[in-house]
Amino acid sequence: MVRPHRDRLDPSGESPEQIQDIVRAFENPVVRGLFRLMGVKPDVFDKVDEVAAQMNQLYGSLEKAATHLPALGWIPFRNMPTEVYTEAADLAAAGNASEAEQVLVVGWNEGEHLLWQLQRIKSLGVGDPNSRAIFMRRWELLERARKHHRNRAYEASVLIILTQMDGLVIDVTGEHRQDFFSGGDHLVDETTLAGHPEGLKAIARIMNRDVKHTGETGQLSRHGIMHGRELGYDTVENSTKA
């Protein structure tokens, strides 16, 4: 049985229960009386209910993101810009796929979101000089891709990223090395949002679509791009998504 998205959002299963415990505590007249004696204003009690409702709404929004966004080539994961994904999920659920993608593209390109994602690669291979050198070289190439992206040279950024995705996954999958685009079960786990079967595995399946005819569909297809069959891949959407 596949572990559902809500359980992955809260692996311990304690957060909803803890929230309800706090709400129940503040509903207790004795507790309220003690807090009033301590100088806590009455409107604070109302905010507890508000925070609980917001937490439940957030869980629901992230579940919606995990349900509706993978089909568009985007998956929620721990370090995503949460507000961007929840807004996009609402749009996608309402049937506004193109608007949802635009929200994601704009959101990812605001500030330094992309920079911080790539910075994480610099922490791989610590303690192993050989692996460390490999991952640092990968980071250098991907940092060049980010700069190409920033300069709107999407034809270059997409190609660099696609060439690194397989190698990166192969280097971190251990003794039984697996690539990314095969979409195998090594991309699945029981704890993370990305590890849901409709997470990384679904993205690998979408990006590995075969392209039998040369054209300009704009799809982020590894096969079509790397073999020169997809000629419309150089877009900000594809570069951001990759």
Side-chain angles (χ1 to χ4, degrees):
M1 181 177 177
V2 176
R3 196 175 191 190
H5 290 112
R6 182 170 285 261
D7 289 351
R8 293 165 188 263
L9 289 164
D10 178 35
S12 66
E14 295 178 354
S15 294
E17 185 177 338
Q18 289 173 342
I19 293 169
Q20 289 305 313
D21 286 344
I22 294 171
V23 171
R24 282 193 290 268
F26 273 82
E27 289 175 346
N28 187 305
V30 175
V31 174
R32 284 180 177 249
L34 288 172
F35 275 109
R36 288 195 183 97
L37 289 174
M38 295 166 61
V40 176
K41 296 180 180 179
D43 61 348
V44 171
F45 303 123
D46 297 328
K47 290 180 180 178
V48 173
D49 291 331
E50 183 181 328
V51 169
Q54 288 175 348
M55 285 295 294
N56 286 325
Q57 183 179 358
L58 176 61
Y59 278 126
S61 295
L62 292 176
E63 283 185 291
K64 191 184 295 183
T67 301
H68 293 280
L69 297 183
L72 303 179
W74 307 82
I75 60 170
F77 63 105
R78 186 180 61 182
N79 294 295
M80 64 185 165
T82 303
E83 291 182 2
V84 173
Y85 273 67
T86 55
E87 181 182 351
D90 288 338
L91 289 167
N96 301 315
S98 59
E99 292 179 36
E101 291 222 63
Q102 188 59 29
V103 165
L104 287 159
V105 170
V106 171
W108 269 112
N109 285 286
E110 288 181 341
E112 299 292 352
H113 288 306
L114 296 176
L115 171 65
W116 292 119
Q117 292 306 312
L118 293 185
Q119 289 291 90
R120 299 174 64 209
I121 294 174
K122 296 169 90 173
S123 66
L124 298 174
V126 173
D128 182 339
N130 291 331
S131 293
R132 181 71 171 156
I134 289 171
F135 287 120
M136 286 303 295
R137 179 57 180 153
R138 288 200 189 283
W139 174 80
E140 290 171 2
L141 290 168
L142 288 166
E143 177 60 9
R144 289 184 193 176
R146 189 185 69 84
K147 290 178 179 178
H148 286 313
H149 175 86
R150 186 181 61 196
N151 294 327
R152 301 183 180 181
Y154 307 126
E155 73 285 352
S157 58
V158 172
L159 280 176
I160 292 174
I161 295 167
L162 289 180
T163 62
Q164 292 304 305
M165 288 175 72
D166 258 350
L168 181 61
V169 174
I170 289 169
D171 282 347
V172 300
T173 48
E175 182 180 349
H176 301 290
R177 297 189 169 190
Q178 303 279 350
D179 63 14
F180 176 76
F181 292 103
S182 66
D185 287 338
H186 58 289
L187 300 177
V188 176
D189 63 42
E190 287 295 319
T191 57
T192 66
L193 287 175
H196 189 279
E198 289 305 310
L200 280 173
K201 191 171 183 178
I203 295 300
R205 184 171 63 245
I206 291 171
M207 291 180 68
N208 204 36
R209 288 174 295 201
D210 193 11
V211 175
K212 299 185 183 298
H213 304 285
T214 301
E216 295 184 68
T217 68
Q219 292 183 350
L220 184 59
S221 163
R222 170 194 179 259
H223 179 269
I225 294 168
M226 299 301 291
H227 293 281
R229 307 303 299 276
E230 172 55 65
L231 304 179
Y233 74 89
D234 53 335
T235 65
V236 63
E237 291 84 4
N238 280 343
S239 188
T240 304
K241 191 178 295 185

